[in-house]
Amino acid sequence: MEIPAELARTLATVVAEGTFDAASRVLQITPSAVSQRIKALEQHLGRVLLVRQKPVRATEAGQAVVRYARQLALLEHDALAGFALGRTDGVADRRPIAVPLAVNADTLGTWILPTLAELAARHPVVFDLHRDDQDFTAELLESGTVMAAITSQATPVAGCVARPLGVMRYRAVATPEYMARWLPGGMTPAALSGAPLVDFDRRDDLQTGFLRFVGADAAGPPRHYVPASNDFAVAVKLGLGWGMLPGFQSEEELADGRLVPLGGPPIDVPLHWQQWNLRSPLLDTIADAVVAEARRAFA
């Protein structure tokens, strides 16, 4: 049984755009035509491929088809780029390919964007960034939602390869004013159990892990939720609560006394680059640039 390439691409577009109407605008066909293609593909494969909700969601079978479509698009792009070798036309003469990447928030908020900007200036590529916690980005890779991911998972996802990036070190910090108000006797389990903290979101377990390590009641502290990396750091620096910040976001303030360490051990989060195991010059070029920049940032 073959998977018709045009129908697979239509499914991938619907999943990427979230609705049939949005996909129709990208594909420049009617929503009815999009629906007919999806139905034809489901009938051809004998599987339900989409959960029809807003936004739509691929079923397990649909994820496999989406992954196939995106791999096919990447290989097609590389082949067309090979045809252009030796030509004098520029990058702008080729239509960019969308490369979806899963990135954790602190990476997105600190070191990766300049690297992606340089890549986009030199290659016909646009990036579709999916932000999630580093403990969950590998799931987006496994489902076919992204081509590559920055993840805390060292073991390669099936059909992928992994490369180490380095270790992001987090320290518990707060403002001197916060310490004077909430932890006047220093960091003790009892004091931490009632002191407000800042969490990124409800999947962020860095602060909870620190509390457990030092023997504090992890369920006790009041929590602020600030789901953006830079805003999270700002919230800590404004004294809303204590939080775990990487050196990128706290080094200057720790040096001049605007932030102080609570004490206790740092938390090290090893990061890895995982990508589809394809012979793709474009994907390998992206990987090499990201790995090189990460190793400079973490040095």
Side-chain angles (χ1 to χ4, degrees):
M1 181 184 295
E2 295 183 353
I3 301 176
E6 182 181 52
L7 301 187
R9 287 173 179 150
T10 300
L11 177 69
T13 303
V14 172
V15 171
E17 298 301 320
T19 67
F20 283 45
D21 286 344
S24 73
R25 290 191 289 271
V26 172
L27 296 169
Q28 298 184 333
I29 59 177
T30 66
S32 176
V34 173
S35 179
Q36 289 171 10
R37 287 185 183 181
I38 300 302
K39 289 179 181 176
L41 183 58
E42 289 180 325
Q43 291 173 356
H44 177 74
L45 297 177
R47 298 287 190 278
V48 175
L49 303 175
L50 281 179
V51 177
R52 287 161 171 80
Q53 59 186 29
K54 287 191 176 181
V56 299
R57 178 172 57 83
T59 64
E60 185 174 353
Q63 290 172 0
V65 177
V66 167
R67 180 169 176 153
Y68 162 76
R70 289 177 173 158
Q71 290 178 340
L72 188 63
L74 182 62
L75 294 173
E76 181 181 67
H77 175 274
D78 288 335
L80 292 174
F83 295 161
L85 289 176
R87 290 172 54 182
T88 59
D89 54 357
V91 168
D93 296 318
R94 282 186 279 153
R95 180 175 178 81
I97 182 174
V99 175
L101 305 176
V103 184
N104 62 304
D106 285 333
T107 291
L108 187 59
T110 52
W111 59 267
I112 198 172
L113 284 179
T115 299
L116 299 184
E118 290 178 8
L119 286 163
R122 292 188 284 111
H123 301 276
V125 60
V126 292
F127 293 104
D128 180 6
L129 299 180
H130 297 250
R131 189 197 69 193
D132 206 341
D133 185 272
Q134 61 270 1
D135 292 337
F136 301 99
T137 48
E139 295 175 7
L140 296 172
L141 187 62
E142 191 170 16
S143 70
T145 302
V146 300
M147 296 179 183
I150 293 178
T151 172
S152 59
Q153 182 174 319
T155 303
V157 170
C160 297
V161 292
R163 297 168 66 179
L165 294 176
V167 174
M168 187 169 278
R169 170 162 287 188
Y170 293 81
R171 292 189 181 278
V173 299
T175 64
E177 295 79 11
Y178 175 93
M179 294 292 291
R181 178 181 179 185
W182 294 101
L183 305 172
M187 185 193 71
T188 65
L192 278 177
S193 298
L197 60 83
V198 184
D199 272 340
F200 184 86
D201 58 21
R202 286 164 176 80
R203 301 175 84 173
D204 177 10
D205 62 359
L206 277 176
Q207 286 70 226
T208 296
F210 180 84
L211 289 169
R212 288 174 176 160
F213 189 88
V214 299
D217 178 10
R223 281 172 155 81
H224 300 280
Y225 293 98
V226 185
S229 182
N230 288 331
D231 295 339
F232 177 95
V234 169
V236 173
K237 294 171 186 179
L238 290 174
L240 278 179
W242 68 269
M244 306 295 296
L245 291 184
F248 304 112
Q249 295 179 321
S250 60
E251 184 176 4
E252 182 179 336
E253 289 82 2
L254 285 168
D256 64 20
R258 284 177 290 166
L259 288 176
V260 294
L262 269 66
I267 293 180
D268 289 341
V269 178
L271 294 178
H272 304 268
W273 171 267
Q274 291 205 30
Q275 69 179 61
W276 290 345
N277 189 15
L278 291 177
R279 287 189 171 274
S280 165
L282 176 61
L283 198 54
D284 289 344
T285 296
I286 294 169
D288 289 342
V290 170
V291 170
E293 181 56 30
R295 291 177 179 173
R296 282 193 294 269
F298 297 143

